[in-house]
Amino acid sequence: MEHLLQTRRQFASDNNAGICPEAFAALAEANQGHALGYGEDPWTEKAANLIRELFETDCEVFFVFNGTAANSLVLASLCQSYHSILCHEAAHIETAECGAPEFFSNGSKVLLVPGENGKVDPAAIEGMVKRRTDIHYPKPRVLSLTQTTEMGTLYSQDELKALTQAARELGLRVHMDGARFANAVAALEVSPKELTWKAGVDALCFGGTKNGMPVGDAVVFFNRELAREFDYRCKQAGQLASKMRFLSAPWVGLLRDGAWLRHAAHANEMASLLEAGLRSAGVEIAFPRQTNAVFARMPDETVARLRKCGWQFYTNVSQGDCRLMCSWDTTETDVNDFLRDLGSI
Ligand SMILES: Cc1ncc(COP(=O)(O)O)c(C=O)c1O
């Protein structure tokens, strides 16, 4: 039983955190009486409308259980099986989705492009698209960008525009993996529309889980034409929740009074404190710390001793660097406790 009660907050992942109070309250509110299933309920309508308001456009919105499904099903919608998808070599769709994008698109190939700090190098897009134009090679169709990136870095509005323009000129559609889109909006202080449809993004996978939801991500099609029959795709893939109100109500909780942005800004702020503490302890930081992730370069011995002190974090995201991820519920005390243990080592 003891392990069930383990409650210490950690730096392993923002999806290790619990449900934020706003999402939890909305879940409880939704848990009254009966409501129609499969998205026909008022909570789902409200959540979709709040997302439309947030992005200031009449987008198509769907709710699915997780980010892998959101990414894979969107990419499958944007591609035929003989197409290919360009993404950064560290992209989650390549490194952490068990081939789901290829599986759900019936074989569309993922092509990897390099770039510093987890960001796609615009010059590499053209190189990759033009490298092969013969019938024997899968035709490039989509550019997939992750915002914030797997390294916690950001594409500025101008960088996004340059990338999407390059993509358009090459006949590519643009997908954004926004598992941590909220952290990007909070850090860049730019409106959601400026970082998506106004910057040339066709479809966004808007992450909820890492922002304090119990479960679920939203799929947002700015190009409504691309959403055609997406509801069937979700159903076939087992992603149409029968009790949909419990996927959508937490979105209402997060969005109706701006909690989504407050929580993301808080997580970013905790990472900034952690970064400052690490730097003053002489620890090298591997990538520019721009959002809620800090990548720290520490000797194996130090890592082992931190683990002995009970700290959990990933070392498999970027060549042995320690990924320290802050969440909506990370506190200054958590940061100071970690730094104190590091200091004692
Ligand atoms: C960049 C990125 N995309 C997507 C996801 C969503 O993955 P999941 O299917 O675990 O919700 C994650 C989760 O770690 C992620 O970091």
Side-chain angles (χ1 to χ4, degrees), residues 2 44 85 108-109 122 143 169-171 173 192 232 291 294 299 339:
E2 213 173 88
T44 304
I85 301 154
S108 302
K109 192 175 168 70
L143 171 65
E169 283 163 10
L170 294 162
R173 291 164 175 163
Y232 286 90
T291 55
V294 188
L339 292 171

Side-chain angles (χ1 to χ4, degrees), residues 167-285:
R168 290 265 172 268
E169 283 163 10
L170 294 162
L172 307 179
R173 291 164 175 163
V174 181
H175 157 256
M176 180 174 277
D177 175 349
R180 298 187 179 86
F181 182 72
N183 300 89
V185 177
L188 289 166
E189 296 184 351
V190 176
S191 72
K193 72 174 172 191
E194 299 289 348
L195 292 178
T196 53
W197 60 274
K198 279 199 127 187
V201 173
D202 292 306
L204 167 75
C205 296
F206 188 7
T209 318
K210 294 173 171 61
N211 194 212
M213 299 255 302
V215 63
D217 285 15
V219 170
V220 185
F221 284 97
F222 303 109
N223 180 342
R224 296 175 64 101
E225 189 54 28
L226 298 175
R228 192 185 300 174
E229 299 184 349
F230 192 75
D231 44 354
Y232 286 90
R233 203 178 277 287
C234 287
K235 176 65 191 181
Q236 187 184 52
Q239 289 291 325
L240 179 65
S242 53
K243 288 192 174 180
M244 183 69 90
R245 67 181 145 143
F246 299 113
L247 271 193
S248 55
W251 279 104
V252 175
L254 268 187
L255 296 176
R256 66 184 161 193
D257 74 342
W260 72 284
L261 201 53
R262 281 198 305 279
H263 289 321
H266 171 82
N268 293 351
E269 171 63 19
M270 292 300 105
S272 150
L273 285 182
L274 183 57
E275 179 199 11
L278 287 164
R279 282 193 192 278
S280 51
V283 174
E284 187 189 343
I285 303 300

